[in-house]
């Protein structure tokens, strides 16, 4: 009930006028079938008197026929009207729900998305809201009002014929009872199968998606992925069939019971007419009303069938909107002087160990720091904490002595840019891939492509920066190194104060790598720069180096200092230098 009330309040706040008009039209639609049945009774009565000779006014007969036909015509036309209003209401609520859910997703702490169970929950909830399932509960309220008006008015009319006719309702409603519980179980089963569906879709993608096609064929592993996909699909089908069988069985029983109940009601009417309790006209009206009541109960049956699913999905949507947000209220954050990390530790939600432990560092404007260490040491995680994507479990990250954990996200993110190792390839034009915005600053774009060498990519295409990329969608494809240059340009395009390069040269040739680091050093003369790499010779361009091992800073200093200390950094540097000479 709380979910229903909250849904109605949401609808009234966001779409009051369409919702109110919808209720008025549905109320009219609820009374019209009963009015038509009453007019049908009057018309038959009058025709009988006309045939018996007790009434001789032909115009009056024709008037009754006209009124009946008009009421029938209105009842046929009204569904077209409320279909239009339903569409307006549906679209109105959907727009609001989409806006709210997208705004909410932007405020949920980033690390929530990296926990598998939490991610399943967020994806389910967001799809519920965005796909508009949310709004059907509000629409069902208007249908329920229409049904309630039909039931009450038909009860009044039938009882005026004969009190015994009120037995129609318990007889016809019996097949409806008990249906919701099994449907709720079926819906819950479908929601529970989300992780399996995600895995199945993943295996299908490994075989069919262009991104994986090369490896799948060269490594001859398509059969392996298809086998895994088949195993999961079989499990999905088995569980879904188990749930669907229960629903189908109940539908069969309900249909049979409904037909039996309808027959009992018709027989009861014939008996009342035979015993003189009701007239032929009243029996004809009763048949019409029984059709109305049966239709209303069947519609209620459909609504009951959908309510458990809608309730679960709406609950998910509201729970997502109720999820705790970061306390992002502090404004006026800048990064003109320094970046500091003070006793920061971090672990993932539901994690059992710290990924980062008691990290302390300070980087001043105009300096470049390097985070180095083996894969999995925590370097990229530390970068995400510094960027404000992850919130520290303990400690704080400060820009110009202000803790960014309470900072307005838009301000925090505007101060930084990053080029990650696992960069994204967007199916957009070259310039859109770099700017990721509607309005593109030509000066910033030109500067970014020149600094990264992406200007040579643009020259390849007749459409220049307007060339569409993404082979999957009919656009041009780029090499790994070219895509990485675009990702670097994306990081440089923003006029940010903090620039982070996370393993930025994985796909670059040695000359491009050398130019990239030289340009990065030039860029960071008036910025705070961070390089993340496991290739220690590249770290030597940094002003200060932090060697990270198992989430802790175990060595720090300038390149020369760390070499002279002859610690882990010096040993790994010597090995890598020997390997690449």
């Amino acid at each position: 009930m709380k979910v229903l009330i909250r849904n109605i309040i949401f609808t009234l706040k966001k779409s009051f006028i369409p919702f109110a008009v919808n209720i008025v039209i549905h109320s009219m639609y609820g009374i019209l079938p009963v009015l038509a049945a009453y007019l049908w009774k009057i018309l038959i009565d009058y025709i009988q008197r006309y045939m018996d000779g007790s009434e001789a006014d032909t115009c009056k007969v024709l008037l009754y026929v006209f009124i009946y036909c008009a009421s029938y015509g209105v009842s046929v036309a009204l569904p077209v009207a409320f279909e239009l209003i339903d569409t307006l209401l549906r679209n109105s609520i959907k727009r609001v729900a989409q806006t709210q859910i997208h705004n909410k997703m932007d405020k949920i702490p980033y690390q929530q998305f990296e926990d598998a169970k939490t991610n399943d929950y967020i994806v389910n909830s967001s799809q519920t809201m965005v796909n508009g399932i949310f709004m059907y509960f509000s629409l069902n309220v208007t249908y329920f009002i229409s049904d309630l008006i039909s039931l009450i008015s038909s009860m009044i009319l039938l009882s005026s014929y004969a009190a015994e006719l009120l037995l129609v309702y318990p007889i016809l409603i019996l097949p409806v009872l008990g249906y919701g519980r099994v449907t709720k179980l079926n819906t819950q089963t479908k929601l529970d199968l989300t992780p399996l569906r995600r895995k199945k879709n993943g295996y299908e993608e490994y075989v069919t998606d262009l991104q994986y096609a090369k490896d799948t064929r060269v490594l001859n592993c398509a059969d392996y992925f298809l086998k895994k996909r088949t195993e999961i699909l079989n499990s999905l089908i088995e569980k879904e069939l188990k749930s669907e069988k229960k629903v189908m069985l109940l539908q069969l029983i309900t249909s049979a019971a409904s037909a039996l109940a309808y027959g009992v009601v018709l027989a009861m009417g014939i008996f009342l007419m035979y015993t003189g309790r009701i007239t032929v006209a009243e029996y004809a009206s009763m048949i019409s009303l029984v059709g109305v009541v049966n239709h209303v109960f069947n519609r209620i049956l459909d609504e009951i069938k959908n309510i458990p699913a809608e309730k679960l999905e709406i609950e998910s949507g509201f729970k997502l909107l109720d999820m705790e947000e970061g306390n992002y209220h502090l404004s006026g954050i800048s990064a003109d002087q320094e970046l500091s990390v003070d006793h920061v530790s971090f672990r993932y939600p539901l994690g059992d160990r710290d990924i980062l432990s008691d990290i302390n560092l300070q980087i001043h404007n105009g300096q470049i720091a390097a985070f180095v260490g083996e894969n999995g040491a925590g370097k990229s995680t530390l970068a995400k904490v510094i960027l404000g994507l992850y919130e520290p479990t303990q400690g704080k990250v400060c820009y110009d002595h202000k803790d960014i954990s309470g900072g307005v996200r838009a301000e925090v993110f505007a101060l930084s840019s990053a080029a990650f190792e696992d960069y994204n390839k967007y199916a957009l034009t070259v310039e859109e891939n770099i700017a990721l915005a509607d309005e593109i600053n030509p000066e910033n774009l030109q500067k970014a492509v020149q600094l990264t060498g992406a200007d040579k990519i643009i020259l390849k295409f007749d459409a220049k920066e307007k060339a569409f990329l993404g082979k999957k969608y009919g656009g041009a494809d780029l090499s790994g190194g070219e895509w990485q240059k675009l990702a670097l340009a994306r990081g440089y395009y923003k006029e940010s104060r903090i620039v982070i390069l996370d393993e930025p040269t994985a796909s670059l040739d040695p000359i491009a790598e050398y130019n990239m680091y030289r340009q990065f050093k030039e860029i960071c003369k008036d910025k705070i720069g961070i390089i993340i790499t496991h290739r220690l010779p590249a770290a030597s361009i940094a002003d200060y180096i932090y060697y990270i091992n198992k989430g802790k800073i175990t060595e720090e200093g300038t390149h020369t200092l760390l070499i002279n200390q002859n610690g882990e950094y010096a040993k790994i540097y010597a090995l890598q230098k020997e390997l690449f000479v």
Side-chain angles (χ1 to χ4, degrees):
M1 183 58 70
K2 288 181 180 178
V3 177
L4 173 61
I5 292 171
R6 186 173 177 185
N7 187 256
I8 293 173
I9 291 172
F10 178 92
T11 304
L12 288 172
K13 282 183 177 179
K14 307 302 179 182
S15 306
F16 175 75
I17 294 176
F19 188 63
V21 173
N22 214 16
I23 288 178
V24 171
I25 293 178
H26 277 79
S27 299
M28 292 172 60
Y29 186 70
I31 196 69
L32 272 175
V34 180
L35 178 62
Y38 177 67
L39 290 172
W40 182 237
K41 180 251 182 189
I42 292 176
L43 181 61
I44 292 177
D45 266 341
Y46 201 84
I47 289 173
Q48 277 187 318
R49 290 198 299 272
Y50 182 80
M51 297 296 291
D52 293 341
S54 55
E55 290 281 356
D57 192 343
T58 305
C59 291
K60 206 169 184 180
V61 173
L62 293 176
L63 177 63
Y64 279 122
V65 171
F66 174 78
I67 293 173
Y68 176 77
C69 292
S71 67
Y72 180 79
V74 172
S75 67
V76 171
L78 267 183
V80 177
F82 65 65
E83 183 67 32
L84 174 62
I85 299 297
D86 280 357
T87 301
L88 292 173
L89 178 60
R90 183 179 292 112
N91 291 336
S92 176
I93 299 176
K94 188 172 183 177
R95 278 195 300 269
V96 174
Q98 285 177 331
T99 301
Q100 286 204 357
I101 204 69
H102 290 151
N103 289 340
K104 183 68 179 186
M105 299 282 276
D106 196 45
K107 294 175 183 176
I108 295 172
Y110 175 78
Q111 60 257 37
Q112 297 281 9
F113 290 87
E114 297 207 355
D115 175 71
K117 289 183 179 179
T118 307
N119 188 261
D120 280 342
Y121 170 68
I122 290 172
V123 168
N124 269 336
S125 302
S126 63
Q127 287 178 348
T128 293
M129 300 287 279
V130 171
N131 291 339
I133 304 296
F134 175 96
M135 66 203 166
Y136 292 122
F137 218 11
S138 294
L139 293 179
N140 276 344
V141 170
T142 59
Y143 282 110
F144 178 76
I145 290 172
S146 172
D147 295 339
L148 189 63
I149 290 173
S150 292
L151 288 176
I152 292 173
S153 56
S154 62
M155 287 175 69
I156 293 171
L157 187 57
L158 281 176
S159 63
S160 70
Y161 299 161
E164 293 91 337
L165 290 177
L166 291 178
L167 291 173
V168 164
Y169 296 90
I171 293 172
L172 292 179
I173 203 172
L174 283 175
V176 176
L177 301 178
Y179 195 85
R181 187 177 182 84
V182 173
T183 307
K184 181 177 180 179
L185 177 64
N186 184 46
T187 303
Q188 186 64 58
T189 301
K190 290 180 179 178
L191 291 175
D192 290 341
L193 293 177
T194 296
L196 279 178
R197 288 196 190 92
R198 192 155 56 89
K199 286 184 178 179
K200 176 188 76 70
N201 294 338
Y203 287 127
E204 289 174 350
E205 190 176 312
Y206 298 154
V207 176
T208 60
D209 195 274
L210 182 63
Q211 179 182 352
Y212 302 98
K214 180 174 62 178
D215 286 349
T216 301
R217 282 156 180 74
V218 171
L219 298 174
N220 196 26
C221 54
D223 288 343
Y224 167 74
F225 289 134
L226 289 173
K227 181 181 177 183
K228 300 287 284 185
R229 178 255 187 197
T230 302
E231 289 172 358
I232 293 175
L233 182 61
N234 289 340
S235 178
L236 271 171
I237 291 172
E238 181 183 348
K239 291 178 179 179
E240 286 177 342
L241 279 176
K242 185 177 180 180
S243 179
E244 288 295 331
K245 282 179 181 178
K246 293 180 181 178
V247 175
M248 289 175 65
L249 178 62
L250 188 55
Q251 284 177 331
L252 182 63
I253 294 172
T254 301
S255 298
S258 180
L260 179 63
Y262 193 70
V264 169
V265 167
L266 292 182
M268 181 180 66
I270 291 171
F271 175 77
L272 290 174
M273 185 175 61
Y274 180 76
T275 56
R277 297 294 305 278
I278 61 174
T279 65
V280 173
E282 289 171 338
Y283 180 72
S285 179
M286 186 208 79
I287 292 175
S288 179
L289 287 172
V290 166
V292 171
V293 172
N294 203 42
H295 173 72
V296 167
F297 281 152
N298 280 328
R299 192 161 66 187
I300 290 175
L301 180 68
D302 287 334
E303 290 165 6
I304 289 174
K305 178 179 70 176
N306 293 329
I307 281 174
E310 292 169 354
K311 183 173 180 291
L312 284 171
E313 290 168 334
I314 292 167
E315 281 177 338
S316 287
F318 278 130
K319 283 178 181 177
L320 178 60
L321 289 178
D322 292 338
M323 281 185 71
E324 187 176 351
E325 300 175 1
N327 187 22
Y328 308 134
H329 63 277
L330 183 64
S331 60
I333 291 177
S334 63
D336 296 324
Q337 300 172 24
E338 67 174 37
L339 155 70
S340 61
V341 177
D342 185 17
H343 296 288
V344 161
S345 296
F346 174 79
R347 71 170 58 186
Y348 289 106
L350 308 179
D352 57 359
R353 67 181 183 87
D354 286 341
I355 305 301
L356 299 174
S357 180
D358 197 31
I359 299 291
N360 293 277
L361 58 86
Q362 192 174 46
I363 311 170
H364 294 284
N365 184 48
Q367 285 186 330
I368 296 176
F371 300 163
V372 299
E374 297 179 0
N375 290 333
K379 306 184 297 296
S380 295
T381 301
L382 176 56
K384 291 174 182 176
V385 172
I386 288 172
L387 289 167
L389 290 172
Y390 290 164
E391 295 181 13
T393 309
Q394 292 180 337
K396 60 184 179 180
V397 175
C398 294
Y399 294 174
D400 288 351
H401 310 291
K402 285 188 178 180
D403 186 353
I404 68 166
S405 62
V408 176
R409 293 295 90 181
E411 290 188 19
V412 172
F413 295 146
L415 292 170
S416 60
S417 59
F420 294 106
E421 180 183 16
D422 52 345
Y423 54 84
N424 291 311
K425 303 175 182 179
Y426 297 103
L428 300 168
T429 65
V430 174
E431 63 180 5
E432 289 171 336
N433 252 286
I434 295 170
L436 295 179
D438 291 326
E439 296 183 6
I440 296 171
N441 185 315
E443 185 179 338
N444 286 7
L445 180 68
Q446 190 64 23
K447 183 179 177 181
V449 297
Q450 286 177 349
L451 285 170
T452 58
D455 53 343
K456 296 181 179 63
I457 300 173
I458 292 174
L459 293 174
K460 290 172 51 176
F461 304 112
D462 294 336
K464 299 297 187 288
E465 67 274 7
K466 304 289 184 183
F468 187 79
L469 302 178
K471 193 172 181 179
K472 184 176 180 180
Y473 300 100
D477 198 13
L478 302 177
S479 68
E482 288 173 327
W483 275 114
Q484 189 153 36
K485 287 178 182 179
L486 286 188
L488 288 168
R490 198 177 296 149
Y492 290 162
Y493 176 82
K494 282 175 64 179
E495 294 180 331
S496 52
R497 300 295 308 148
I498 300 169
V499 183
I500 298 179
L501 302 184
D502 185 358
E503 300 287 3
T505 61
S507 300
L508 299 182
D509 59 66
I511 295 176
E513 179 179 0
Y514 170 78
N515 289 331
M516 189 279 298
Y517 282 125
R518 180 174 57 82
Q519 290 156 351
F520 183 66
K521 197 169 181 69
E522 184 68 24
I523 288 169
C524 291
K525 283 183 177 180
D526 188 37
K527 297 180 185 291
I528 295 170
I530 297 174
I531 295 174
I532 300 170
T533 182
H534 62 276
R535 295 163 67 170
L536 302 196
S540 61
I541 73 159
D543 299 298
Y544 204 80
I545 298 169
Y546 296 91
Y547 185 83
I548 301 174
N549 184 26
K550 296 180 180 178
K552 297 180 179 181
I553 296 176
T554 55
E555 298 177 39
E556 61 177 282
T558 64
H559 172 71
T560 302
L561 178 62
L562 292 177
I563 291 296
N564 292 337
Q565 285 179 349
N566 200 29
E568 283 297 312
Y569 176 88
K571 292 175 183 177
I572 296 174
Y573 178 82
L575 286 172
Q576 290 187 358
K577 186 177 180 181
E578 181 180 341
L579 180 63
F580 290 106
V581 170

